Amino acid sequence: MRIVRTIEHLRQLLREPRRKGQKIGFVPTMGYLHEGHLSLIRRAVKECSVCVVSIYVNPKQFGVREDLSRYPRDIKHDATMIEKENVDILFIPSDNVIYPNGYLTYIDVEKISDLLCGKYRPGHFRGVATIVAKLLNIVLPDVMYLGQKDAQQAVILKQMALDLNFSVCVHVLPTVREKDGLAASSRNVYLSKDQRAQAPVLYRALKSAANHIKAGERRASYLNGLISRMIRQYSDGNIQYVACVDAGTLKPLKTLKGQVLIALSVLFGKIRLIDNVIVSIKNQGKF
Ligand code: AMP
C-alpha cells in the first residue's frame, strides 16, 4: 500500500491505471476506522482494480460548538488495518494541501442540506459537499462508496454528483452494526458505560416502527411518537429529531408511501448518535 500526502503524488500514481482503463474505487473517510468503514473498503477492493482510501478530518464540516480537536484519530492503527485489506493507496492530506491560504470556494446543495441533521448542524453539509467534491476531482474515481448510516449525506452527495456532472457512480452500502444493534461509529468510543448500554434502543425503536409499518401502520406521526417514547423510556438520550421522509428526496411524509427513510438523531450527553432504516411500502393502493 502506498501512503500519499500530496495531490501531485496521488495523480501520478493513478495516471497509469487510468490510462489502462482500470476501474478506480474510492472510499472517503475521517479515519478511526471500524467495521462500517471496512465494509466499504472491502467492497471497493473486490469490485475495482485500484482502491483509494482517504483519511481527512475536514474542519469545514464541524460547527463552532462541535469539537473538531476531540474527533478521535489514530492514523497508525488505521493504516495497519487497511493495509490488511489490500488497499492500493491511502491518501492522507494535510489542511494545507486541501485548503491552502486564500481558499474561497464552497458547494451548497440547497434545501436538502437544511433538513434533518442539517437543522442542527448549520453549514455541516456545505463542508461535506465541498470536501467530497474536491476529493472526487483529485482522485477521479469510477465508483465512490458511501455508508447508509449517514443517509442524508448519501442523498446530498448523490445530488451533488448529478448536479455537477461528476463522472462517478455512487454506491451506498448497508449500515454495519455492533452485536447489540448499535450502528458502528467512530463516536461510540466516547459513550460512557451507561450510555453505551442504553444506545442500542435507537435501533430497537427503529425496528419496532418498521414492524408497525409491516402490520399496516402508515401514519408518520404515530411512528415518530412510538420511536420517541421508546427512546425516552429506555435511555437518557436527548432526541434532536425523529422523522419519516421520502428516502430519495428527504421530503417529510405524513402518510407513508414508497421508499421511506426513518431517521433519527439523539444526543447522549455531548455525543450525537444518528441511525436510520429504510422501509419499502409495497401495497400503496387500498384495493
Ligand atoms: P466517516 O469516517 O464517519 O466520515 O465515514 C466514512 C464513510 O463510512 C461514510 O460514507 C459513512 O457513511 C460510512 N460509515 C460510517 N459508519 C458506518 C456504518 N456503521 N456502516 C456503514 N458505513 C458506515
Side-chain angles (χ1 to χ4, degrees), residues 162-182:
L162 181 73
D163 289 350
L164 295 183
N165 311 97
F166 280 99
S167 174
V168 66
C169 279
V170 180
H171 287 188
V172 182
L173 303 190
T175 301
V176 172
R177 301 179 178 281
E178 306 283 344
K179 282 200 182 82
D180 57 12
L182 177 65

Side-chain angles (χ1 to χ4, degrees), residues 27-37 39-40 56 61 71 145-151 153 173-177 182-187:
V27 183
T29 82
M30 297 207 299
Y32 214 75
L33 303 180
H34 50 66
E35 284 297 322
H37 298 111
S39 73
L40 307 183
Y56 180 61
Q61 69 190 69
Y71 195 84
Y145 295 85
L146 302 173
Q148 179 58 34
K149 150 115 186 319
D150 298 272
Q153 171 171 285
L173 303 190
T175 301
V176 172
R177 301 179 178 281
L182 177 65
S185 165
S186 309
R187 291 188 164 94

Side-chain angles (χ1 to χ4, degrees), residues 3 5 28 34 66 70 72 82 99 116 135 141 145 149 154 158 167 185 214 221 229 238 244 258 265 271 274 284:
I3 296 183
R5 294 175 197 277
H34 50 66
E66 299 175 346
R70 272 200 78 213
I82 57 175
Y99 301 112
L116 306 172
L135 290 169
Y145 295 85
K149 150 115 186 319
K158 274 188 189 169
S167 174
S185 165
K214 275 183 203 130
S221 59
R229 276 196 304 282
N238 234 326
C244 296
S265 162
I271 319 302
I274 56 170
Q284 292 177 32

Side-chain angles (χ1 to χ4, degrees), residues 5-112:
R5 294 175 197 277
T6 67
I7 295 169
E8 295 71 28
H9 191 187
L10 183 72
R11 288 198 167 138
Q12 181 233 319
L13 287 177
L14 289 173
R15 207 164 289 141
E16 188 63 10
R18 187 165 296 115
R19 197 186 55 78
K20 287 188 189 149
Q22 291 180 337
K23 191 166 163 185
I24 299 171
F26 175 49
V27 183
T29 82
M30 297 207 299
Y32 214 75
L33 303 180
H34 50 66
E35 284 297 322
H37 298 111
L38 290 183
S39 73
L40 307 183
I41 291 169
R42 283 176 190 142
R43 183 71 78 87
V45 168
K46 198 170 153 199
E47 291 181 349
C48 304
S49 308
V50 181
C51 174
V52 181
V53 174
S54 66
I55 296 181
Y56 180 61
V57 182
N58 174 33
K60 309 271 188 204
Q61 69 190 69
F62 286 78
V64 274
R65 281 195 302 273
E66 299 175 346
D67 199 352
L68 166 68
S69 62
R70 272 200 78 213
Y71 195 84
R73 297 161 209 243
D74 191 346
I75 287 284
K76 250 189 165 172
H77 184 243
D78 288 345
T80 315
M81 261 171 113
I82 57 175
E83 176 129 49
K84 287 190 196 135
E85 302 297 334
N86 293 322
V87 167
D88 299 283
I89 301 174
L90 171 58
F91 181 46
I92 318 177
S94 64
D95 287 341
N96 288 340
V97 164
I98 296 293
Y99 301 112
N101 277 342
Y103 188 87
L104 290 174
T105 306
Y106 295 88
I107 307 282
D108 206 347
V109 182
E110 294 180 353
K111 293 191 176 141
I112 52 176

Side-chain angles (χ1 to χ4, degrees), residues 195-254:
Q195 290 168 337
R196 178 62 189 80
Q198 294 171 5
V201 74
L202 305 189
Y203 185 49
R204 285 207 306 278
L206 288 167
K207 275 197 306 190
S208 169
N211 286 334
H212 277 72
I213 295 171
K214 275 183 203 130
E217 183 57 62
R218 296 289 181 269
R219 292 166 299 169
S221 59
Y222 178 87
L223 296 161
N224 295 344
L226 174 92
I227 293 168
S228 304
R229 276 196 304 282
M230 265 185 86
I231 293 171
R232 287 200 193 99
Q233 186 175 352
Y234 295 105
S235 81
D236 303 320
N238 234 326
I239 298 170
Q240 282 192 324
Y241 71 82
V242 175
C244 296
V245 301
D246 181 277
T249 62
L250 303 181
K251 282 207 177 106
L253 296 170
K254 274 190 182 158

